[in-house]
Each structure stands twice: as structure tokens, then as C-alpha cells.
Amino acid sequence: MHSAMRRGLLALALLAGAAPAVAEPFPAKPITLVVPQGPGSGSDVTARLVANYLGPVLGQTVVVDNRAGGSGIVAHQAVARAAPDGYTLLFTSTAQLLVVPLINPAAKYTMGDFTAVAPILRAPFAVVVANEPGAPKSFNELLQRLRAGPQSYASAGIGTMTHLGSELWMRKAGVSASHIPYKGSGQALTDLMGGQTLFATDSLTAEMTHIRSGKLRALAIADAQRKPSLPDVPTFDEAGLPGVQVAVIGGLFAPKGVPQDVAGRIASAMTKVLAMPEVQQRFAAMESEPLTMPADEFVKLLGKEAAVWAPLVRDLGVKVE
């Protein structure tokens, strides 16, 4: 064979060998869902519920990886550094995504480091007091008590929605109270029931067991409508403070740069999961609402949330060292 022809054939063979392999359809292996809290937390329970149903819809296992630490910093930074291939996802919500980077210099991430893939839930808040004879019986009574002299309120920690939620409505009402931060809602609500503080603003997910048991009394719902589980409790609008809405908004995020078709595949699978009656029942039992909207609308919603919380954080001068 002519040497030039041989060289040409050899070059073709090398080119054929160098041709890219056809990409395997996503997902071709298990997906890791990183959760910023430990096992048994509200986020963990929700993430495991989602993972159990999302896996079969996608045709792969979704493994929950608890990465607690640093108010969510450990988990967020791990996912931000992960390969943007759709195999590492983050389940997070407003405070850890939007507020923690504003108040903690150790948080080396912003919302811009992630791609919002799919919303999952909205968990509305309510103002609660201990269900004791001396406690306020209405939101108006609570305001009178706050105007009458120094009081304190409990939160799940500095910079959490339970902290900022209380400050938001108090500023609107022109009242104030001393902030007593705890390590989580469990401890905060236990001390509230024990009479250590006057009130708390927390998610119905955290409060409802104690409301049902008669240990806490809900005074106002921080949402547009009353809740079916608490039909007699007025909204903030009805209680005389219009426009106050406080809720945890959570969803799935991927590292920035994830391919659009991969994000779309996960998003459409998540929509199917949230439409399942058994998933909706579980969410209702947790006092959460499934949140379904296109990814671009989800990003707009997060932008609106940032516009509420970022100025409040700046005004309060909240910092965590």
C-alpha cells in the first residue's frame, strides 16, 4: 500500500478513536441530594420524602447526604464546588441560601453559585404564645403587651427566618422585643411553653404539634389566607398588619453551569412527584404546601424574597462571627 495512503488511513483510524463517546442519557448513575441539616430535621424529613419518589421517576436512586454545619455553609460550599452535571443537588431554603451569606463572612457562596432547578415547598409561619392564662389571647393583646414594657421572643437562631420573621412584623407594627436565639425551633418553642419568652414566629411545621396538644396558641398567620388546620386564626392582614408574609421557601439547586436539558429533566420529574396524592398528603401533614412553577418564576420569587430580607438584615446589623 502506498505510504501516503497508509498514513491517511492511520489518521482516520486515530480520528475515529478520538471521536467523543455518545453521552449516556441522564441520569446514568445515582444522584446525591445534599441536605444542610442533620438526620431527623424538618429539611431531612422532606428531602427523604422527595428522594423516595424522585428516584423511581428518574429511574435512578437518589441518595440523601446530610452535611450539617455552619448554618448550612458546609453543604452549600460543597455543592457549589461539585461538578455541574446534575448528579449533585442541594435541597435548601430561603434563609440559608439568601441570608447566611449576608451575615456570616465564612459563607463563601451566593445564590449566583447555583442554578435553581425546581421549587419544592412553601411552609408558612404563625405567631404563637404559650397557651397559659396570663398569655395574650389575640394578636392585638400581644401588641398591647409589647407596647406596655420590655418583653422577649424566642427564635431558632440568629439570622433564621424565625428571627427575621419576628423583626419584620414588629417593625411594621412599631414595637420591639429582646431577641433570645436558641439552637433550633425545638428548644425555642420548649422555652416559650415554659414561660421563658413571650412569643415566637415560626413555621406551622414546627409549631403544629404543640398547638394541637394545647401547649401553644396561634395568634396570627403570616400568609395571604387562613389555614384549613387553623380556621379560627386570622391572617396578619385581618389582624391589622397588611402585607406581612413569612414562609420558608425550599427547592432543588444544582451547581452553576448544569446543562439546561439535565436541569429540565429533574424539574419535570419533580413536578410529577409533587402532583402525587400521597406526597401532597404528606406535605399537608407537615403543614407545607407543594410549590410548582417554572424555574424562571422560581428565580423571580427568590429575588422578591431577597428584596425583603436583605434590607432587613442590613438595618438590623445582624452579623455572625
Side-chain angles (χ1 to χ4, degrees), residues 142 145-153 176-179 197-199:
L142 174 62
R145 190 80 63 91
L146 290 169
R147 290 186 182 116
Q151 298 289 350
S152 63
Y153 72 92
S176 63
S178 302
H179 176 214
T197 56
L198 179 63
F199 72 91

Side-chain angles (χ1 to χ4, degrees), residues 221-239:
I221 304 286
D223 207 9
Q225 280 95 29
R226 292 192 182 202
K227 296 292 128 202
S229 49
L230 294 168
D232 300 330
V233 181
T235 63
F236 267 100
D237 287 36
E238 292 169 330

Side-chain angles (χ1 to χ4, degrees), residues 11-315:
L12 274 175
L14 286 170
L15 274 173
V22 177
E24 289 181 283
F26 177 87
K29 60 182 181 181
I31 295 164
T32 300
L33 178 55
V34 178
V35 181
Q37 281 94 18
S41 62
S43 295
D44 175 66
V45 170
T46 305
R48 286 178 191 279
L49 170 64
V50 164
N52 284 343
Y53 287 94
L54 188 60
V57 175
L58 285 170
Q60 279 290 348
T61 309
V62 178
V63 181
V64 173
D65 179 10
N66 298 95
R67 297 274 190 102
S71 300
I73 293 172
V74 173
H76 285 70
Q77 290 184 173
V79 175
R81 288 193 298 263
D85 54 12
Y87 290 103
T88 305
L89 300 174
L90 175 70
F91 172 53
T92 188
S93 58
T94 23
Q96 293 181 323
L97 184 66
L98 304 174
V99 176
V100 170
L102 297 176
I103 67 174
N104 194 329
K108 310 291 186 204
Y109 66 88
T110 68
M111 191 175 144
D113 293 318
F114 304 95
T115 296
V117 174
I120 291 180
L121 63 84
R122 190 172 174 282
F125 277 39
V127 178
V128 289
V129 294
N131 194 9
E132 298 292 336
K137 302 286 187 292
S138 67
F139 185 67
N140 196 38
E141 268 188 54
L142 174 62
L143 291 180
Q144 287 170 8
R145 190 80 63 91
L146 290 169
R147 290 186 182 116
Q151 298 289 350
S152 63
Y153 72 92
S155 87
I158 294 168
T160 60
M161 297 300 278
T162 61
H163 168 204
L164 301 177
S166 285
E167 292 292 343
L168 183 75
W169 69 255
M170 283 195 295
R171 287 185 159 226
K172 197 146 196 165
V175 296
S176 63
S178 302
H179 176 214
I180 314 291
Y182 289 83
K183 287 187 176 173
S185 293
Q187 291 180 11
L189 297 176
T190 298
D191 267 16
L192 173 60
M193 292 182 282
Q196 316 300 115
T197 56
L198 179 63
F199 72 91
T201 309
D202 209 323
S203 69
L204 284 168
T205 307
E207 297 166 341
M208 206 62 192
T209 307
H210 307 300
I211 294 171
R212 285 202 180 102
S213 72
K215 291 178 180 170
L216 287 178
R217 179 188 297 126
L219 301 183
I221 304 286
D223 207 9
Q225 280 95 29
R226 292 192 182 202
K227 296 292 128 202
S229 49
L230 294 168
D232 300 330
V233 181
T235 63
F236 267 100
D237 287 36
E238 292 169 330
L241 270 190
V244 175
Q245 292 197 29
V246 185
V248 167
I249 294 168
L252 289 182
F253 295 81
K256 186 176 77 176
V258 68
Q260 212 170 346
D261 60 331
V262 169
R265 174 102 173 78
I266 298 165
S268 80
M270 197 64 239
T271 302
K272 284 179 188 158
V273 169
L274 294 177
M276 294 176 182
E278 59 267 44
V279 172
Q280 294 186 347
Q281 284 161 13
R282 290 284 298 277
F283 271 51
M286 294 189 287
E287 294 295 331
S288 299
E289 303 156 2
L291 191 60
T292 48
M293 58 178 67
D296 57 342
E297 279 185 39
F298 184 37
V299 171
K300 282 182 197 157
L301 177 62
L302 292 169
K304 283 183 190 162
E305 288 290 305
V308 171
W309 304 116
L312 179 63
V313 166
R314 279 197 296 273
D315 287 354

